[in-house]
């Protein structure tokens, strides 16, 4: 794939990571949580939600690759200049260069959370050194034959993406892909049956604290290790939701 001939706006939109809903639905009136929870079935995997910045490495046919933030593309293989936003390219360029090329016409997108360093207010929870960054892979998207999709108008691409059209690897496939590529995943905390998930707001808040009392991705022992929350995902990745400690604390404080 010759990236000079690709509609980069279309590629950017096709590979943007979708918003993850909260486990208990958000109340649009006040931003708090409602009593209704996302419904899961079968095995549910819980992973640490790392508080950093969403980044992506886009692998294209012919050995090309691009690095992007959640919203924009920042750098491509062979570029002399890159966008220094949040230190994403500096941290991930060596990683992208080491990834194996994709096969055939496939586009593969590796999503990582870059954290520590100077990435947001939570950086100090992971490291006491502002020059030290870490990253963890949390999802992989596969576009098996993207040629037609790249020709779609912007509105169709956005509707397809927001409607769940992207194909992410299931848990077992993700673990295998990460292992083969030498990528570290976000910490896996548990796998349980959906019937075991708490649905009451107060019980969920307490349960979250039990499951993740402190972060498992601290970069040095001097960091406090405060955790942001847990991501819940079905084993086949068909259902996914996030549960953040601050959302429950804020909601329960308001209700009391």
């Amino acid at each position: 794939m010759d990236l000079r001939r690709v509609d980069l706006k279309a590629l950017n939109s096709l590979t943007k990571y979708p918003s993850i809903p909260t486990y208990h639905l958000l109340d649009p009136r006040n931003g708090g949580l409602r009593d209704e929870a996302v419904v899961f079935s079968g095995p549910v995997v819980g992973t640490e939600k790392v508080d950093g910045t969403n980044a992506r490495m886009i692998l294209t046919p012919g050995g090309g690759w691009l690095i992007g933030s959640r919203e924009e593309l920042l750098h491509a293989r062979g570029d002399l200049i890159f966008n220094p936003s949040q230190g994403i390219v500096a941290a991930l360029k060596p990683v992208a260069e080491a990834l194996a090329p994709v096969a055939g016409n496939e586009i593969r997108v590796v999503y990582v959370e870059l954290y520590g360093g100077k990435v947001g207010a939570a950086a100090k929870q992971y490291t006491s050194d502002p020059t030290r960054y870490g990253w963890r892979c949390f999802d992989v998207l596969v576009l098996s034959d993207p040629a037609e999709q790249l020709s779609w108008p912007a509105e169709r691409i956005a509707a397809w993406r927001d409607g769940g059209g992207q194909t992410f690897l299931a848990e077992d496939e993700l673990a295998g892909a990460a292992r083969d590529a030498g990528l570290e995943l976000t910490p896996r905390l548990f796998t349980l049956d959906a019937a075991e998930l708490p649905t009451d707001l107060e019980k969920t808040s307490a349960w979250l604290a039990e499951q993740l009392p402190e972060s498992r991705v601290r970069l040095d022992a001097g960091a406090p290790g405060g955790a942001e929350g847990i991501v819940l995902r079905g084993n086949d990745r068909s259902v996914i939701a996030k549960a953040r400690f601050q959302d429950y604390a804020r909601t329960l404080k308001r209700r009391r």
Side-chain angles (χ1 to χ4, degrees), residues 27-54:
D27 188 334
R29 297 171 298 178
N30 55 28
L33 299 174
R34 293 160 45 181
D35 292 315
E36 299 90 343
V38 171
V39 177
F40 285 86
S41 61
V44 178
V45 179
T47 67
E48 178 173 351
K49 187 179 188 306
V50 182
D51 193 353
T53 186
N54 186 313

PDB file of all heavy atoms in Angstrom, residues 27-54:
ATOM      1  N   ASP A  27     -25.771   9.190  33.417  1.00  0.00           N
ATOM      2  CA  ASP A  27     -26.971  10.003  33.417  1.00  0.00           C
ATOM      3  C   ASP A  27     -26.653  11.306  32.690  1.00  0.00           C
ATOM      4  O   ASP A  27     -25.824  12.094  33.161  1.00  0.00           O
ATOM      5  CB  ASP A  27     -27.406  10.297  34.855  1.00  0.00           C
ATOM      6  CG  ASP A  27     -28.762  10.978  34.936  1.00  0.00           C
ATOM      7  OD1 ASP A  27     -29.145  11.651  33.953  1.00  0.00           O
ATOM      8  OD2 ASP A  27     -29.435  10.848  35.977  1.00  0.00           O
ATOM      9  N   PRO A  28     -27.271  11.560  31.533  1.00  0.00           N
ATOM     10  CA  PRO A  28     -26.936  12.766  30.768  1.00  0.00           C
ATOM     11  C   PRO A  28     -27.307  14.060  31.487  1.00  0.00           C
ATOM     12  O   PRO A  28     -26.812  15.127  31.141  1.00  0.00           O
ATOM     13  CB  PRO A  28     -27.749  12.599  29.476  1.00  0.00           C
ATOM     14  CG  PRO A  28     -28.874  11.678  29.842  1.00  0.00           C
ATOM     15  CD  PRO A  28     -28.327  10.753  30.883  1.00  0.00           C
ATOM     16  N   ARG A  29     -28.142  13.965  32.498  1.00  0.00           N
ATOM     17  CA  ARG A  29     -28.575  15.178  33.206  1.00  0.00           C
ATOM     18  C   ARG A  29     -27.503  15.728  34.127  1.00  0.00           C
ATOM     19  O   ARG A  29     -27.362  16.943  34.275  1.00  0.00           O
ATOM     20  CB  ARG A  29     -29.840  14.889  34.014  1.00  0.00           C
ATOM     21  CG  ARG A  29     -31.050  14.482  33.171  1.00  0.00           C
ATOM     22  CD  ARG A  29     -32.184  14.011  34.054  1.00  0.00           C
ATOM     23  NE  ARG A  29     -31.788  12.825  34.823  1.00  0.00           N
ATOM     24  CZ  ARG A  29     -32.568  12.213  35.714  1.00  0.00           C
ATOM     25  NH1 ARG A  29     -33.777  12.697  35.969  1.00  0.00           N
ATOM     26  NH2 ARG A  29     -32.147  11.136  36.363  1.00  0.00           N
ATOM     27  N   ASN A  30     -26.727  14.842  34.767  1.00  0.00           N
ATOM     28  CA  ASN A  30     -25.756  15.332  35.740  1.00  0.00           C
ATOM     29  C   ASN A  30     -24.380  14.673  35.619  1.00  0.00           C
ATOM     30  O   ASN A  30     -23.477  14.981  36.406  1.00  0.00           O
ATOM     31  CB  ASN A  30     -26.285  15.129  37.164  1.00  0.00           C
ATOM     32  CG  ASN A  30     -26.677  13.686  37.458  1.00  0.00           C
ATOM     33  OD1 ASN A  30     -26.123  12.762  36.868  1.00  0.00           O
ATOM     34  ND2 ASN A  30     -27.618  13.489  38.366  1.00  0.00           N
ATOM     35  N   GLY A  31     -24.211  13.764  34.666  1.00  0.00           N
ATOM     36  CA  GLY A  31     -22.925  13.115  34.495  1.00  0.00           C
ATOM     37  C   GLY A  31     -22.640  12.012  35.479  1.00  0.00           C
ATOM     38  O   GLY A  31     -21.566  11.402  35.443  1.00  0.00           O
ATOM     39  N   GLY A  32     -23.589  11.751  36.387  1.00  0.00           N
ATOM     40  CA  GLY A  32     -23.417  10.660  37.343  1.00  0.00           C
ATOM     41  C   GLY A  32     -23.812   9.331  36.727  1.00  0.00           C
ATOM     42  O   GLY A  32     -24.181   9.242  35.557  1.00  0.00           O
ATOM     43  N   LEU A  33     -23.733   8.283  37.534  1.00  0.00           N
ATOM     44  CA  LEU A  33     -24.087   6.948  37.068  1.00  0.00           C
ATOM     45  C   LEU A  33     -25.536   6.618  37.402  1.00  0.00           C
ATOM     46  O   LEU A  33     -26.054   7.025  38.443  1.00  0.00           O
ATOM     47  CB  LEU A  33     -23.158   5.902  37.708  1.00  0.00           C
ATOM     48  CG  LEU A  33     -21.669   6.046  37.399  1.00  0.00           C
ATOM     49  CD1 LEU A  33     -20.862   5.038  38.220  1.00  0.00           C
ATOM     50  CD2 LEU A  33     -21.393   5.854  35.910  1.00  0.00           C
ATOM     51  N   ARG A  34     -26.177   5.893  36.514  1.00  0.00           N
ATOM     52  CA  ARG A  34     -27.534   5.412  36.758  1.00  0.00           C
ATOM     53  C   ARG A  34     -27.469   3.998  37.317  1.00  0.00           C
ATOM     54  O   ARG A  34     -26.409   3.377  37.394  1.00  0.00           O
ATOM     55  CB  ARG A  34     -28.320   5.433  35.446  1.00  0.00           C
ATOM     56  CG  ARG A  34     -28.572   6.852  34.931  1.00  0.00           C
ATOM     57  CD  ARG A  34     -28.900   6.926  33.462  1.00  0.00           C
ATOM     58  NE  ARG A  34     -29.865   5.944  32.998  1.00  0.00           N
ATOM     59  CZ  ARG A  34     -30.262   5.837  31.734  1.00  0.00           C
ATOM     60  NH1 ARG A  34     -29.757   6.646  30.819  1.00  0.00           N
ATOM     61  NH2 ARG A  34     -31.138   4.928  31.378  1.00  0.00           N
ATOM     62  N   ASP A  35     -28.619   3.463  37.699  1.00  0.00           N
ATOM     63  CA  ASP A  35     -28.667   2.120  38.276  1.00  0.00           C
ATOM     64  C   ASP A  35     -28.522   1.024  37.227  1.00  0.00           C
ATOM     65  O   ASP A  35     -28.137  -0.097  37.551  1.00  0.00           O
ATOM     66  CB  ASP A  35     -29.985   1.914  39.043  1.00  0.00           C
ATOM     67  CG  ASP A  35     -30.058   2.778  40.298  1.00  0.00           C
ATOM     68  OD1 ASP A  35     -29.050   2.827  41.025  1.00  0.00           O
ATOM     69  OD2 ASP A  35     -31.106   3.410  40.538  1.00  0.00           O
ATOM     70  N   GLU A  36     -28.836   1.342  35.954  1.00  0.00           N
ATOM     71  CA  GLU A  36     -28.757   0.341  34.893  1.00  0.00           C
ATOM     72  C   GLU A  36     -27.309   0.040  34.535  1.00  0.00           C
ATOM     73  O   GLU A  36     -26.500   0.949  34.361  1.00  0.00           O
ATOM     74  CB  GLU A  36     -29.497   0.815  33.640  1.00  0.00           C
ATOM     75  CG  GLU A  36     -30.975   1.062  33.850  1.00  0.00           C
ATOM     76  CD  GLU A  36     -31.270   2.497  34.266  1.00  0.00           C
ATOM     77  OE1 GLU A  36     -30.322   3.202  34.690  1.00  0.00           O
ATOM     78  OE2 GLU A  36     -32.445   2.896  34.160  1.00  0.00           O
ATOM     79  N   ALA A  37     -26.999  -1.260  34.394  1.00  0.00           N
ATOM     80  CA  ALA A  37     -25.645  -1.682  34.051  1.00  0.00           C
ATOM     81  C   ALA A  37     -25.635  -2.378  32.694  1.00  0.00           C
ATOM     82  O   ALA A  37     -26.645  -2.926  32.251  1.00  0.00           O
ATOM     83  CB  ALA A  37     -25.095  -2.619  35.121  1.00  0.00           C
ATOM     84  N   VAL A  38     -24.484  -2.330  32.027  1.00  0.00           N
ATOM     85  CA  VAL A  38     -24.302  -3.054  30.772  1.00  0.00           C
ATOM     86  C   VAL A  38     -24.465  -4.550  31.036  1.00  0.00           C
ATOM     87  O   VAL A  38     -23.977  -5.072  32.042  1.00  0.00           O
ATOM     88  CB  VAL A  38     -22.900  -2.758  30.185  1.00  0.00           C
ATOM     89  CG1 VAL A  38     -22.600  -3.665  28.994  1.00  0.00           C
ATOM     90  CG2 VAL A  38     -22.799  -1.295  29.780  1.00  0.00           C
ATOM     91  N   VAL A  39     -25.148  -5.232  30.149  1.00  0.00           N
ATOM     92  CA  VAL A  39     -25.423  -6.659  30.334  1.00  0.00           C
ATOM     93  C   VAL A  39     -24.346  -7.489  29.623  1.00  0.00           C
ATOM     94  O   VAL A  39     -24.117  -7.338  28.428  1.00  0.00           O
ATOM     95  CB  VAL A  39     -26.815  -7.036  29.788  1.00  0.00           C
ATOM     96  CG1 VAL A  39     -27.056  -8.529  29.927  1.00  0.00           C
ATOM     97  CG2 VAL A  39     -27.897  -6.246  30.536  1.00  0.00           C
ATOM     98  N   PHE A  40     -23.686  -8.357  30.391  1.00  0.00           N
ATOM     99  CA  PHE A  40     -22.714  -9.297  29.854  1.00  0.00           C
ATOM    100  C   PHE A  40     -23.280 -10.706  29.932  1.00  0.00           C
ATOM    101  O   PHE A  40     -24.197 -10.977  30.710  1.00  0.00           O
ATOM    102  CB  PHE A  40     -21.409  -9.259  30.669  1.00  0.00           C
ATOM    103  CG  PHE A  40     -20.555  -8.053  30.419  1.00  0.00           C
ATOM    104  CD1 PHE A  40     -20.770  -6.871  31.126  1.00  0.00           C
ATOM    105  CD2 PHE A  40     -19.517  -8.088  29.502  1.00  0.00           C
ATOM    106  CE1 PHE A  40     -19.974  -5.753  30.914  1.00  0.00           C
ATOM    107  CE2 PHE A  40     -18.718  -6.979  29.270  1.00  0.00           C
ATOM    108  CZ  PHE A  40     -18.945  -5.820  29.978  1.00  0.00           C
ATOM    109  N   SER A  41     -22.707 -11.603  29.135  1.00  0.00           N
ATOM    110  CA  SER A  41     -23.053 -13.018  29.233  1.00  0.00           C
ATOM    111  C   SER A  41     -21.788 -13.834  29.065  1.00  0.00           C
ATOM    112  O   SER A  41     -20.839 -13.393  28.392  1.00  0.00           O
ATOM    113  CB  SER A  41     -24.085 -13.412  28.170  1.00  0.00           C
ATOM    114  OG  SER A  41     -23.579 -13.201  26.873  1.00  0.00           O
ATOM    115  N   GLY A  42     -21.755 -15.004  29.666  1.00  0.00           N
ATOM    116  CA  GLY A  42     -20.585 -15.864  29.548  1.00  0.00           C
ATOM    117  C   GLY A  42     -19.395 -15.328  30.319  1.00  0.00           C
ATOM    118  O   GLY A  42     -19.526 -14.490  31.212  1.00  0.00           O
ATOM    119  N   PRO A  43     -18.182 -15.760  29.956  1.00  0.00           N
ATOM    120  CA  PRO A  43     -16.980 -15.314  30.663  1.00  0.00           C
ATOM    121  C   PRO A  43     -16.717 -13.819  30.453  1.00  0.00           C
ATOM    122  O   PRO A  43     -16.888 -13.300  29.356  1.00  0.00           O
ATOM    123  CB  PRO A  43     -15.862 -16.160  30.034  1.00  0.00           C
ATOM    124  CG  PRO A  43     -16.547 -17.304  29.384  1.00  0.00           C
ATOM    125  CD  PRO A  43     -17.881 -16.799  28.947  1.00  0.00           C
ATOM    126  N   VAL A  44     -16.306 -13.150  31.520  1.00  0.00           N
ATOM    127  CA  VAL A  44     -15.969 -11.728  31.472  1.00  0.00           C
ATOM    128  C   VAL A  44     -14.539 -11.561  31.981  1.00  0.00           C
ATOM    129  O   VAL A  44     -14.187 -12.074  33.047  1.00  0.00           O
ATOM    130  CB  VAL A  44     -16.928 -10.887  32.329  1.00  0.00           C
ATOM    131  CG1 VAL A  44     -16.521  -9.413  32.306  1.00  0.00           C
ATOM    132  CG2 VAL A  44     -18.364 -11.050  31.842  1.00  0.00           C
ATOM    133  N   VAL A  45     -13.729 -10.859  31.215  1.00  0.00           N
ATOM    134  CA  VAL A  45     -12.333 -10.613  31.579  1.00  0.00           C
ATOM    135  C   VAL A  45     -12.225  -9.204  32.144  1.00  0.00           C
ATOM    136  O   VAL A  45     -12.722  -8.244  31.537  1.00  0.00           O
ATOM    137  CB  VAL A  45     -11.408 -10.770  30.360  1.00  0.00           C
ATOM    138  CG1 VAL A  45      -9.958 -10.493  30.742  1.00  0.00           C
ATOM    139  CG2 VAL A  45     -11.553 -12.152  29.751  1.00  0.00           C
ATOM    140  N   GLY A  46     -11.581  -9.073  33.284  1.00  0.00           N
ATOM    141  CA  GLY A  46     -11.344  -7.764  33.883  1.00  0.00           C
ATOM    142  C   GLY A  46      -9.884  -7.372  33.724  1.00  0.00           C
ATOM    143  O   GLY A  46      -8.983  -8.149  34.049  1.00  0.00           O
ATOM    144  N   THR A  47      -9.636  -6.159  33.205  1.00  0.00           N
ATOM    145  CA  THR A  47      -8.270  -5.677  33.023  1.00  0.00           C
ATOM    146  C   THR A  47      -8.128  -4.297  33.647  1.00  0.00           C
ATOM    147  O   THR A  47      -9.111  -3.557  33.770  1.00  0.00           O
ATOM    148  CB  THR A  47      -7.900  -5.584  31.525  1.00  0.00           C
ATOM    149  OG1 THR A  47      -8.688  -4.558  30.903  1.00  0.00           O
ATOM    150  CG2 THR A  47      -8.170  -6.897  30.819  1.00  0.00           C
ATOM    151  N   GLU A  48      -6.917  -3.963  34.052  1.00  0.00           N
ATOM    152  CA  GLU A  48      -6.705  -2.631  34.612  1.00  0.00           C
ATOM    153  C   GLU A  48      -6.875  -1.572  33.535  1.00  0.00           C
ATOM    154  O   GLU A  48      -6.366  -1.712  32.420  1.00  0.00           O
ATOM    155  CB  GLU A  48      -5.318  -2.503  35.227  1.00  0.00           C
ATOM    156  CG  GLU A  48      -5.067  -1.102  35.780  1.00  0.00           C
ATOM    157  CD  GLU A  48      -3.775  -0.934  36.554  1.00  0.00           C
ATOM    158  OE1 GLU A  48      -3.108  -1.955  36.825  1.00  0.00           O
ATOM    159  OE2 GLU A  48      -3.433   0.218  36.890  1.00  0.00           O
ATOM    160  N   LYS A  49      -7.616  -0.508  33.871  1.00  0.00           N
ATOM    161  CA  LYS A  49      -7.732   0.649  32.985  1.00  0.00           C
ATOM    162  C   LYS A  49      -6.623   1.630  33.347  1.00  0.00           C
ATOM    163  O   LYS A  49      -6.661   2.256  34.406  1.00  0.00           O
ATOM    164  CB  LYS A  49      -9.109   1.323  33.120  1.00  0.00           C
ATOM    165  CG  LYS A  49      -9.316   2.421  32.091  1.00  0.00           C
ATOM    166  CD  LYS A  49     -10.673   3.075  32.213  1.00  0.00           C
ATOM    167  CE  LYS A  49     -10.904   4.037  31.041  1.00  0.00           C
ATOM    168  NZ  LYS A  49      -9.829   5.030  30.883  1.00  0.00           N
ATOM    169  N   VAL A  50      -5.645   1.729  32.486  1.00  0.00           N
ATOM    170  CA  VAL A  50      -4.492   2.585  32.736  1.00  0.00           C
ATOM    171  C   VAL A  50      -4.836   4.018  32.337  1.00  0.00           C
ATOM    172  O   VAL A  50      -5.421   4.265  31.274  1.00  0.00           O
ATOM    173  CB  VAL A  50      -3.265   2.078  31.952  1.00  0.00           C
ATOM    174  CG1 VAL A  50      -2.048   2.942  32.246  1.00  0.00           C
ATOM    175  CG2 VAL A  50      -2.983   0.611  32.301  1.00  0.00           C
ATOM    176  N   ASP A  51      -4.461   4.968  33.187  1.00  0.00           N
ATOM    177  CA  ASP A  51      -4.808   6.371  32.970  1.00  0.00           C
ATOM    178  C   ASP A  51      -3.647   7.098  32.294  1.00  0.00           C
ATOM    179  O   ASP A  51      -2.740   7.608  32.941  1.00  0.00           O
ATOM    180  CB  ASP A  51      -5.135   7.032  34.316  1.00  0.00           C
ATOM    181  CG  ASP A  51      -5.802   8.387  34.143  1.00  0.00           C
ATOM    182  OD1 ASP A  51      -5.885   8.873  33.001  1.00  0.00           O
ATOM    183  OD2 ASP A  51      -6.245   8.959  35.161  1.00  0.00           O
ATOM    184  N   GLY A  52      -3.685   7.103  30.962  1.00  0.00           N
ATOM    185  CA  GLY A  52      -2.637   7.789  30.203  1.00  0.00           C
ATOM    186  C   GLY A  52      -3.246   8.417  28.973  1.00  0.00           C
ATOM    187  O   GLY A  52      -4.271   9.106  29.053  1.00  0.00           O
ATOM    188  N   THR A  53      -2.655   8.172  27.825  1.00  0.00           N
ATOM    189  CA  THR A  53      -3.204   8.672  26.566  1.00  0.00           C
ATOM    190  C   THR A  53      -3.288   7.538  25.561  1.00  0.00           C
ATOM    191  O   THR A  53      -2.369   6.727  25.429  1.00  0.00           O
ATOM    192  CB  THR A  53      -2.347   9.836  25.994  1.00  0.00           C
ATOM    193  OG1 THR A  53      -2.997  10.390  24.853  1.00  0.00           O
ATOM    194  CG2 THR A  53      -0.946   9.385  25.615  1.00  0.00           C
ATOM    195  N   ASN A  54      -4.405   7.482  24.875  1.00  0.00           N
ATOM    196  CA  ASN A  54      -4.669   6.446  23.881  1.00  0.00           C
ATOM    197  C   ASN A  54      -3.805   6.699  22.641  1.00  0.00           C
ATOM    198  O   ASN A  54      -3.797   7.795  22.099  1.00  0.00           O
ATOM    199  CB  ASN A  54      -6.166   6.506  23.532  1.00  0.00           C
ATOM    200  CG  ASN A  54      -6.619   5.407  22.611  1.00  0.00           C
ATOM    201  OD1 ASN A  54      -5.987   5.134  21.610  1.00  0.00           O
ATOM    202  ND2 ASN A  54      -7.743   4.807  22.936  1.00  0.00           N
TER     203      ASN A  54
END
